[in-house]
Amino acid sequence: DSGVTQTPKHLITATGQRVTLRCSPRSGDLSVYWYQQSLDQGLQFLIQYYNGEERAKGNILERFSAQQFPDLHSELNLSSLELGDSALYFCASWGGDTDTQYFGPGTRLTVL
Amino acid sequence: GQNIDQPTEMTATEGAIVQINCTYQTSGFNGLFWYQQHAGEAPTFLSYNVLDGLEEKGRFSSFLSRSKGYSYLLLKELQMKDSASYLCAVRDGGATNKLIFGTGTLLAVQP
């Protein structure tokens, strides 16, 4: 158990819909990273937040947005969903004490 | 640009040794990570190299040559449970600690 939590574990929805994925970092970690992993693809960095502020942006679509709240949990919002958005979405936090990135269990999104 | 290359698949025999290579060309570099990922599960941390040389941790060792843009992960005394994807990731330069991942190497351990 990495200490990073994500909900829900599975999400099935239809094209055109909007969903919200939630992540809580390890206790004491201030950074949250979001990654997308499509079938047979590597982990693609989407966006990073540090202590409530956006720190870095990757290949995140305009239909996707994220935020980090004062209690440090983060939400990734995916809208106008397409079939190609079906993927595993991982959240990670950076352990400043260990200089390592820890991953949550992921949310499997299926768009039908 | 950012480019991280690993072999797509490898096969090895239980009890043997296998070496998984990773080459990288990135605009920034602040260390290299190896993660293990079983299908449908989260990546789990294996090793981190920031200086050249070999880091040994039980059955797993990782090597880094920054001048050659090259790393490898060495797995000894292979077990069936080592069948998984192994992900090489470069830690970006700067303060973000962003990781840039290769596509991973799927290792199949056979009896």
Side-chain angles (χ1 to χ4, degrees):
Chain A
D1 185 355
S2 68
V4 180
T5 60
Q6 287 187 251
T7 56
K9 193 165 177 60
H10 300 278
L11 202 47
I12 301 174
T13 188
T15 54
Q17 296 298 305
R18 172 189 169 95
V19 297
T20 297
L21 313 184
R22 184 188 168 105
C23 164
S24 290
R26 292 190 326 153
S27 177
D29 291 351
L30 301 179
S31 277
V32 167
Y33 303 77
W34 286 99
Y35 293 88
Q36 179 193 56
Q37 188 175 41
S38 303
L39 194 64
D40 297 330
Q41 296 289 313
L43 282 157
Q44 300 293 318
F45 169 72
L46 295 177
I47 197 164
Q48 178 206 359
Y49 280 82
Y50 178 84
N51 203 20
E53 294 190 2
E54 183 184 303
R55 179 64 70 89
K57 225 170 187 177
N59 298 324
I60 187 167
L61 299 171
E62 284 192 15
R63 300 184 286 108
F64 296 1
S65 65
Q67 54 184 328
Q68 186 179 27
F69 295 86
D71 67 352
L72 300 178
H73 92 270
S74 177
E75 293 180 357
L76 179 67
N77 301 297
L78 315 177
S79 62
S80 303
L81 284 167
E82 301 175 0
L83 296 178
D85 297 327
S86 295
L88 269 169
Y89 290 84
F90 288 103
C91 166
S93 70
W94 187 267
D97 53 338
T98 58
D99 228 12
T100 301
Q101 198 164 114
Y102 297 91
F103 284 81
T107 294
R108 180 175 292 281
L109 173 67
T110 302
V111 182
L112 301 175
Chain B
Q2 317 278 42
N3 196 40
I4 299 174
D5 286 319
Q6 306 177 234
T8 305
E9 296 181 359
M10 297 182 72
T11 302
T13 304
E14 193 176 14
I17 299 172
V18 70
Q19 177 174 313
I20 302 174
N21 295 324
C22 171
T23 58
Y24 64 89
Q25 287 179 305
T26 55
S27 54
F29 181 85
N30 204 11
L32 189 139
F33 285 85
W34 285 95
Y35 283 84
Q36 180 191 61
Q37 186 181 26
H38 287 96
E41 298 183 7
T44 55
F45 169 78
L46 290 178
S47 69
Y48 175 52
N49 294 67
V50 63
L51 299 176
D52 290 353
L54 187 69
E55 295 273 347
E56 296 186 77
K57 196 184 291 185
R59 295 189 300 116
F60 291 57
S61 303
S62 56
F63 172 83
L64 175 67
S65 169
R66 289 172 297 170
S67 62
K68 294 182 178 169
Y70 168 69
S71 174
Y72 67 73
L73 180 70
L74 195 70
L75 291 76
K76 303 175 190 174
E77 300 169 15
L78 280 171
Q79 302 175 9
M80 298 299 291
K81 68 178 182 179
D82 297 329
S83 294
S85 284
Y86 291 86
L87 312 179
C88 169
V90 168
R91 178 179 177 182
D92 202 11
T96 68
N97 294 320
K98 181 177 75 175
L99 297 186
I100 304 158
F101 282 87
T103 52
T105 298
L106 182 60
L107 174 66
V109 179
Q110 298 179 338

